[in-house]
Amino acid sequence: MANDSHARPDIIRIAHAIFYVTDLARSRDFYVNLLGLNVLHETDGALYLRGVEDREWTLKLELAPEAGVKHLAYRVRSDADLEALITLADTQDLPWRWESEVDRPRLLRLQDPFGTPVAFYAQAQTHPWLLQEYHQHRGPGLQRVDHVNVMSPDVAGTMRWYMDELGFRLSEFTEDDDANIWAAWIQRRGGVHDLALTNGAGPRLHHFAYWMPDAMSIIRACDILAGARRPELIERGPGRHGISNAFFVYIRDPDGHRIELYTSDYLTVDPDFQPIRWHLDDPRRQTLWGARTPRSWFEEGSLLEAFEGGWVRSQPARLQGIPVNVI
Ligand SMILES: [Fe+2]
């Protein structure tokens, strides 16, 4: 049901993810030594990382017995928006509580109606960016958090909730002949997406994406992984998506969490922007150049932490099958 009884929260953008990892030294080697993410804070059992444009940490790695995702977080405009989210949660019987994190003293953790752990905050301690501290740039130069992609057993329902209740807008979507929606790209900040929803068993995290300065920096990331004798961590690409027009590569961290390095999409800020529809069987939507997508990309994802602890139980996808052009 659309939100018409209370103020809609003003969500600015996707802001961070917290990954549980099983070997912090191994993860540090991947994210810091190879990818060049910058360590903003370090505590016993956790690393807080950011790209060179990020003024806050955007990825926390937390040591845990099992790999998974604690939550995905969005920044909101003000404390009033957090109150609006609490009203929404109470209205829809969604569990919520206050938590705190380094630099983020008031973090509203709730569970969306589909089981995804999400968190929201308004206030954050910011830090000078490193964008023009070129002498400190390392590795391929990850620039800023860009988006998150969640595998969802009910893409249409999830998309509708985020649009109706949280004000997300649709950029692109994949549909079959029966008007089933297999994937959707929705946004708050005027780019192609803050959140992508992909048909699959879940909810699970499909990937977390960083914006890159250019296509060469993505190729450099591949060269660095190859040089380190870790080419098996390159799962898909590099290539150019039809959807979003972005140049991309997907890589897997030592725990299997999937990271996308992404650049060169487009703006959606004009009020007359019309969502772009792709047919499910159009191979150009996945990769404009026609390269095939490995099956693992459709089937594997990271577990999400349940509100009461443990993992969110995966539900089978409502739509069954894998699109064409898969190896
Ligand atoms: Fe993506």
Side-chain angles (χ1 to χ4, degrees):
M1 194 176 78
N3 178 346
D4 51 13
S5 59
H6 48 85
R8 192 189 259 166
D10 186 359
I11 292 167
I12 295 173
R13 60 177 174 84
I14 185 74
H16 76 238
I18 298 181
F19 285 179
Y20 291 124
V21 300
T22 57
D23 181 335
L24 202 55
R26 193 176 59 160
S27 296
R28 183 190 188 107
D29 187 55
F30 177 81
Y31 285 103
V32 179
N33 297 349
L34 296 178
L35 294 189
L37 278 174
N38 301 276
V39 179
L40 187 58
H41 302 294
E42 189 168 356
T43 63
D44 259 1
L47 285 173
Y48 296 79
L49 306 176
R50 62 169 173 163
V52 294
E53 185 184 336
D54 291 324
R55 292 181 171 87
E56 314 165 24
W57 57 269
T58 47
L59 178 62
K60 178 186 177 186
L61 305 176
E62 187 172 324
L63 184 63
E66 280 185 277
V69 177
K70 181 173 184 180
H71 66 235
L72 308 168
Y74 297 88
R75 191 159 190 187
V76 302
R77 190 160 301 280
S78 71
D79 285 347
D81 299 304
L82 297 174
E83 296 304 321
L85 283 158
I86 291 172
T87 302
L88 172 66
D90 286 341
T91 304
Q92 300 193 353
D93 273 335
L94 307 175
W96 64 270
R97 63 175 171 253
W98 290 108
E99 296 185 352
S100 66
E101 258 299 343
V102 173
D103 289 344
R104 265 150 246 194
R106 288 185 89 220
L107 196 62
L108 175 64
R109 163 88 179 261
L110 61 83
Q111 185 164 296
D112 80 11
F114 313 93
T116 304
V118 284
F120 301 88
Y121 68 95
Q123 297 164 9
Q125 174 69 48
T126 59
H127 302 266
W129 70 9
L130 303 172
L131 188 62
Q132 292 172 325
E133 305 302 319
Y134 284 104
H135 60 299
Q136 295 183 35
H137 293 200
R138 298 285 179 267
L142 275 63
Q143 189 164 323
R144 63 172 182 264
V145 59
D146 191 84
H147 65 265
V148 65
N149 182 312
V150 172
M151 298 171 85
S152 167
D154 177 10
V155 170
T158 309
M159 174 191 88
R160 183 48 55 201
W161 187 82
Y162 275 85
M163 292 176 71
D164 288 347
E165 305 298 349
L166 302 187
F168 279 71
R169 296 172 286 263
L170 182 63
S171 301
E172 306 200 22
F173 61 105
T174 301
E175 203 173 49
D176 63 20
D177 288 331
D178 300 320
N180 293 308
I181 296 181
W182 287 68
W185 285 257
I186 57 179
Q187 60 85 16
R188 281 294 303 164
R189 70 173 191 270
V192 172
H193 60 318
D194 293 277
L195 171 62
L197 301 164
T198 310
N199 178 66
R204 291 178 292 163
L205 177 71
H206 189 272
H207 63 264
F208 188 61
Y210 277 91
W211 180 266
M212 302 296 287
D214 52 34
M216 271 312 298
S217 62
I218 291 176
I219 292 171
R220 178 157 170 71
C222 298
D223 281 338
I224 288 170
L225 291 173
R229 308 298 191 268
R230 304 303 305 277
E232 74 281 5
L233 299 178
I234 304 170
E235 182 186 33
R236 177 185 171 197
R240 185 177 298 280
H241 288 306
I243 291 168
S244 79
N245 188 53
F247 193 89
F248 71 90
V249 70
Y250 295 93
I251 57 182
R252 305 292 290 271
D253 87 355
D255 285 293
H257 297 306
R258 185 180 289 107
I259 298 288
E260 182 181 19
L261 307 180
Y262 176 100
T263 193
S264 86
D265 65 4
Y266 59 89
L267 294 178
T268 55
V269 289
D270 285 348
D272 57 357
F273 174 83
Q274 292 295 317
I276 298 169
R277 176 188 183 275
W278 293 82
H279 193 279
L280 180 66
D281 290 340
D282 183 350
R284 284 166 54 89
R285 68 188 177 80
Q286 294 168 354
T287 308
L288 207 57
W289 307 337
R292 290 175 182 270
T293 301
R295 183 166 288 269
S296 63
W297 191 91
F298 287 100
E299 295 180 342
E300 297 174 9
S302 300
L303 296 173
L304 302 175
E305 188 177 69
F307 190 81
E308 62 283 356
W311 303 117
V312 175
R313 207 147 59 89
S314 240
Q315 304 294 325
R318 192 169 63 81
L319 304 170
Q320 288 297 320
I322 285 182
V324 296
N325 207 31
V326 173
I327 52 174

